[in-house]
Amino acid sequence: TTVITSRPPNPTNQPTGTFAFQSPSNPSATFECSIDGGPFVACSSPFTTGVLAPGTHTFRVRAIVGGLTDPMPASHTWVIDTGAP
């Protein structure tokens, strides 16, 4: 099981997002992250995205334990809005 424990607010005016995550049932898990449907790549918590364009974005993270990958990644969708209020 993969759980996101901290995420950027939605909406936000910040062009990056920082996420914290864990596998409560297995503290020795490693993780892979994906932004906007891109490939999963190795990552660790906390994870900060690169600069993202204004709009809607989705972060996904999955735990890997003993060669087994969490089949249901945790995800968070948020909007970056850098326009004037």
PDB file of all heavy atoms in Angstrom, residues 43-63:
ATOM      1  N   CYS A  43      12.219   7.203  -7.020  1.00  0.00           N
ATOM      2  CA  CYS A  43      12.133   8.461  -6.280  1.00  0.00           C
ATOM      3  C   CYS A  43      12.134   8.148  -4.796  1.00  0.00           C
ATOM      4  O   CYS A  43      12.014   6.993  -4.396  1.00  0.00           O
ATOM      5  CB  CYS A  43      10.873   9.241  -6.669  1.00  0.00           C
ATOM      6  SG  CYS A  43       9.331   8.377  -6.286  1.00  0.00           S
ATOM      7  N   SER A  44      12.272   9.188  -3.989  1.00  0.00           N
ATOM      8  CA  SER A  44      12.202   9.022  -2.542  1.00  0.00           C
ATOM      9  C   SER A  44      11.422  10.192  -1.947  1.00  0.00           C
ATOM     10  O   SER A  44      11.231  11.217  -2.590  1.00  0.00           O
ATOM     11  CB  SER A  44      13.605   8.935  -1.934  1.00  0.00           C
ATOM     12  OG  SER A  44      14.348  10.093  -2.236  1.00  0.00           O
ATOM     13  N   SER A  45      10.964   9.983  -0.743  1.00  0.00           N
ATOM     14  CA  SER A  45      10.166  10.986  -0.045  1.00  0.00           C
ATOM     15  C   SER A  45      11.063  11.836   0.843  1.00  0.00           C
ATOM     16  O   SER A  45      11.917  11.284   1.547  1.00  0.00           O
ATOM     17  CB  SER A  45       9.121  10.276   0.809  1.00  0.00           C
ATOM     18  OG  SER A  45       8.301  11.182   1.489  1.00  0.00           O
ATOM     19  N   PRO A  46      10.913  13.159   0.801  1.00  0.00           N
ATOM     20  CA  PRO A  46       9.996  13.946  -0.013  1.00  0.00           C
ATOM     21  C   PRO A  46      10.507  14.075  -1.450  1.00  0.00           C
ATOM     22  O   PRO A  46      11.702  14.011  -1.706  1.00  0.00           O
ATOM     23  CB  PRO A  46       9.973  15.306   0.679  1.00  0.00           C
ATOM     24  CG  PRO A  46      11.315  15.426   1.313  1.00  0.00           C
ATOM     25  CD  PRO A  46      11.700  14.012   1.710  1.00  0.00           C
ATOM     26  N   PHE A  47       9.562  14.262  -2.358  1.00  0.00           N
ATOM     27  CA  PHE A  47       9.853  14.401  -3.775  1.00  0.00           C
ATOM     28  C   PHE A  47       9.297  15.742  -4.244  1.00  0.00           C
ATOM     29  O   PHE A  47       8.136  16.056  -3.988  1.00  0.00           O
ATOM     30  CB  PHE A  47       9.190  13.267  -4.564  1.00  0.00           C
ATOM     31  CG  PHE A  47       9.298  13.428  -6.052  1.00  0.00           C
ATOM     32  CD1 PHE A  47      10.447  13.047  -6.716  1.00  0.00           C
ATOM     33  CD2 PHE A  47       8.247  13.962  -6.782  1.00  0.00           C
ATOM     34  CE1 PHE A  47      10.557  13.193  -8.094  1.00  0.00           C
ATOM     35  CE2 PHE A  47       8.338  14.111  -8.157  1.00  0.00           C
ATOM     36  CZ  PHE A  47       9.503  13.726  -8.814  1.00  0.00           C
ATOM     37  N   THR A  48      10.127  16.531  -4.930  1.00  0.00           N
ATOM     38  CA  THR A  48       9.684  17.806  -5.488  1.00  0.00           C
ATOM     39  C   THR A  48       9.757  17.723  -7.005  1.00  0.00           C
ATOM     40  O   THR A  48      10.795  17.335  -7.554  1.00  0.00           O
ATOM     41  CB  THR A  48      10.546  18.975  -4.976  1.00  0.00           C
ATOM     42  OG1 THR A  48      10.430  19.033  -3.549  1.00  0.00           O
ATOM     43  CG2 THR A  48      10.084  20.305  -5.562  1.00  0.00           C
ATOM     44  N   THR A  49       8.670  18.084  -7.655  1.00  0.00           N
ATOM     45  CA  THR A  49       8.634  18.061  -9.115  1.00  0.00           C
ATOM     46  C   THR A  49       9.561  19.126  -9.675  1.00  0.00           C
ATOM     47  O   THR A  49       9.949  20.061  -8.961  1.00  0.00           O
ATOM     48  CB  THR A  49       7.221  18.352  -9.648  1.00  0.00           C
ATOM     49  OG1 THR A  49       6.892  19.730  -9.390  1.00  0.00           O
ATOM     50  CG2 THR A  49       6.181  17.439  -9.023  1.00  0.00           C
ATOM     51  N   GLY A  50       9.863  19.036 -10.935  1.00  0.00           N
ATOM     52  CA  GLY A  50      10.498  20.138 -11.627  1.00  0.00           C
ATOM     53  C   GLY A  50       9.460  21.223 -11.840  1.00  0.00           C
ATOM     54  O   GLY A  50       8.292  21.085 -11.441  1.00  0.00           O
ATOM     55  N   VAL A  51       9.852  22.316 -12.486  1.00  0.00           N
ATOM     56  CA  VAL A  51       8.917  23.407 -12.771  1.00  0.00           C
ATOM     57  C   VAL A  51       7.879  22.903 -13.771  1.00  0.00           C
ATOM     58  O   VAL A  51       8.224  22.336 -14.810  1.00  0.00           O
ATOM     59  CB  VAL A  51       9.667  24.639 -13.321  1.00  0.00           C
ATOM     60  CG1 VAL A  51       8.684  25.709 -13.782  1.00  0.00           C
ATOM     61  CG2 VAL A  51      10.607  25.192 -12.259  1.00  0.00           C
ATOM     62  N   LEU A  52       6.607  23.108 -13.445  1.00  0.00           N
ATOM     63  CA  LEU A  52       5.493  22.676 -14.284  1.00  0.00           C
ATOM     64  C   LEU A  52       4.747  23.883 -14.833  1.00  0.00           C
ATOM     65  O   LEU A  52       4.692  24.933 -14.191  1.00  0.00           O
ATOM     66  CB  LEU A  52       4.536  21.807 -13.465  1.00  0.00           C
ATOM     67  CG  LEU A  52       5.143  20.534 -12.866  1.00  0.00           C
ATOM     68  CD1 LEU A  52       4.161  19.888 -11.885  1.00  0.00           C
ATOM     69  CD2 LEU A  52       5.523  19.559 -13.964  1.00  0.00           C
ATOM     70  N   ALA A  53       4.160  23.725 -15.984  1.00  0.00           N
ATOM     71  CA  ALA A  53       3.371  24.786 -16.609  1.00  0.00           C
ATOM     72  C   ALA A  53       2.049  24.965 -15.858  1.00  0.00           C
ATOM     73  O   ALA A  53       1.574  24.033 -15.205  1.00  0.00           O
ATOM     74  CB  ALA A  53       3.092  24.431 -18.070  1.00  0.00           C
ATOM     75  N   PRO A  54       1.448  26.148 -15.968  1.00  0.00           N
ATOM     76  CA  PRO A  54       0.115  26.320 -15.386  1.00  0.00           C
ATOM     77  C   PRO A  54      -0.844  25.285 -15.979  1.00  0.00           C
ATOM     78  O   PRO A  54      -0.721  24.897 -17.142  1.00  0.00           O
ATOM     79  CB  PRO A  54      -0.277  27.737 -15.794  1.00  0.00           C
ATOM     80  CG  PRO A  54       1.038  28.445 -15.961  1.00  0.00           C
ATOM     81  CD  PRO A  54       1.951  27.409 -16.545  1.00  0.00           C
ATOM     82  N   GLY A  55      -1.782  24.847 -15.163  1.00  0.00           N
ATOM     83  CA  GLY A  55      -2.767  23.863 -15.608  1.00  0.00           C
ATOM     84  C   GLY A  55      -2.910  22.743 -14.600  1.00  0.00           C
ATOM     85  O   GLY A  55      -2.431  22.818 -13.470  1.00  0.00           O
ATOM     86  N   THR A  56      -3.554  21.669 -15.030  1.00  0.00           N
ATOM     87  CA  THR A  56      -3.835  20.526 -14.175  1.00  0.00           C
ATOM     88  C   THR A  56      -2.717  19.498 -14.302  1.00  0.00           C
ATOM     89  O   THR A  56      -2.264  19.186 -15.403  1.00  0.00           O
ATOM     90  CB  THR A  56      -5.178  19.891 -14.572  1.00  0.00           C
ATOM     91  OG1 THR A  56      -6.204  20.882 -14.454  1.00  0.00           O
ATOM     92  CG2 THR A  56      -5.516  18.712 -13.681  1.00  0.00           C
ATOM     93  N   HIS A  57      -2.290  18.971 -13.156  1.00  0.00           N
ATOM     94  CA  HIS A  57      -1.208  17.977 -13.118  1.00  0.00           C
ATOM     95  C   HIS A  57      -1.597  16.837 -12.185  1.00  0.00           C
ATOM     96  O   HIS A  57      -2.355  17.038 -11.235  1.00  0.00           O
ATOM     97  CB  HIS A  57       0.092  18.624 -12.637  1.00  0.00           C
ATOM     98  CG  HIS A  57       0.548  19.705 -13.544  1.00  0.00           C
ATOM     99  ND1 HIS A  57       1.203  19.453 -14.723  1.00  0.00           N
ATOM    100  CD2 HIS A  57       0.399  21.047 -13.465  1.00  0.00           C
ATOM    101  CE1 HIS A  57       1.460  20.601 -15.330  1.00  0.00           C
ATOM    102  NE2 HIS A  57       0.978  21.582 -14.587  1.00  0.00           N
ATOM    103  N   THR A  58      -1.045  15.656 -12.473  1.00  0.00           N
ATOM    104  CA  THR A  58      -1.296  14.487 -11.638  1.00  0.00           C
ATOM    105  C   THR A  58       0.030  13.843 -11.258  1.00  0.00           C
ATOM    106  O   THR A  58       0.861  13.556 -12.131  1.00  0.00           O
ATOM    107  CB  THR A  58      -2.184  13.463 -12.361  1.00  0.00           C
ATOM    108  OG1 THR A  58      -3.434  14.084 -12.675  1.00  0.00           O
ATOM    109  CG2 THR A  58      -2.443  12.242 -11.488  1.00  0.00           C
ATOM    110  N   PHE A  59       0.210  13.627  -9.960  1.00  0.00           N
ATOM    111  CA  PHE A  59       1.368  12.934  -9.405  1.00  0.00           C
ATOM    112  C   PHE A  59       0.908  11.545  -8.985  1.00  0.00           C
ATOM    113  O   PHE A  59      -0.143  11.393  -8.360  1.00  0.00           O
ATOM    114  CB  PHE A  59       1.887  13.697  -8.183  1.00  0.00           C
ATOM    115  CG  PHE A  59       2.913  12.956  -7.380  1.00  0.00           C
ATOM    116  CD1 PHE A  59       4.230  12.892  -7.802  1.00  0.00           C
ATOM    117  CD2 PHE A  59       2.562  12.319  -6.199  1.00  0.00           C
ATOM    118  CE1 PHE A  59       5.185  12.209  -7.054  1.00  0.00           C
ATOM    119  CE2 PHE A  59       3.505  11.643  -5.441  1.00  0.00           C
ATOM    120  CZ  PHE A  59       4.822  11.586  -5.881  1.00  0.00           C
ATOM    121  N   ARG A  60       1.678  10.514  -9.338  1.00  0.00           N
ATOM    122  CA  ARG A  60       1.394   9.151  -8.896  1.00  0.00           C
ATOM    123  C   ARG A  60       2.662   8.564  -8.283  1.00  0.00           C
ATOM    124  O   ARG A  60       3.767   8.856  -8.738  1.00  0.00           O
ATOM    125  CB  ARG A  60       0.936   8.271 -10.062  1.00  0.00           C
ATOM    126  CG  ARG A  60      -0.385   8.728 -10.659  1.00  0.00           C
ATOM    127  CD  ARG A  60      -0.894   7.811 -11.742  1.00  0.00           C
ATOM    128  NE  ARG A  60       0.090   7.660 -12.817  1.00  0.00           N
ATOM    129  CZ  ARG A  60       0.193   6.585 -13.594  1.00  0.00           C
ATOM    130  NH1 ARG A  60      -0.602   5.552 -13.423  1.00  0.00           N
ATOM    131  NH2 ARG A  60       1.091   6.541 -14.551  1.00  0.00           N
ATOM    132  N   VAL A  61       2.471   7.756  -7.257  1.00  0.00           N
ATOM    133  CA  VAL A  61       3.608   7.107  -6.591  1.00  0.00           C
ATOM    134  C   VAL A  61       3.195   5.688  -6.219  1.00  0.00           C
ATOM    135  O   VAL A  61       2.054   5.435  -5.830  1.00  0.00           O
ATOM    136  CB  VAL A  61       4.089   7.901  -5.352  1.00  0.00           C
ATOM    137  CG1 VAL A  61       2.982   8.071  -4.319  1.00  0.00           C
ATOM    138  CG2 VAL A  61       5.331   7.280  -4.736  1.00  0.00           C
ATOM    139  N   ARG A  62       4.148   4.762  -6.380  1.00  0.00           N
ATOM    140  CA  ARG A  62       3.871   3.365  -6.028  1.00  0.00           C
ATOM    141  C   ARG A  62       5.053   2.789  -5.265  1.00  0.00           C
ATOM    142  O   ARG A  62       6.217   3.100  -5.537  1.00  0.00           O
ATOM    143  CB  ARG A  62       3.562   2.540  -7.268  1.00  0.00           C
ATOM    144  CG  ARG A  62       4.695   2.462  -8.267  1.00  0.00           C
ATOM    145  CD  ARG A  62       4.256   1.778  -9.539  1.00  0.00           C
ATOM    146  NE  ARG A  62       5.368   1.633 -10.481  1.00  0.00           N
ATOM    147  CZ  ARG A  62       5.227   1.216 -11.719  1.00  0.00           C
ATOM    148  NH1 ARG A  62       4.026   0.917 -12.184  1.00  0.00           N
ATOM    149  NH2 ARG A  62       6.281   1.092 -12.509  1.00  0.00           N
ATOM    150  N   ALA A  63       4.723   1.939  -4.298  1.00  0.00           N
ATOM    151  CA  ALA A  63       5.732   1.270  -3.483  1.00  0.00           C
ATOM    152  C   ALA A  63       6.178  -0.008  -4.183  1.00  0.00           C
ATOM    153  O   ALA A  63       5.401  -0.651  -4.893  1.00  0.00           O
ATOM    154  CB  ALA A  63       5.171   0.940  -2.108  1.00  0.00           C
TER     155      ALA A  63
END
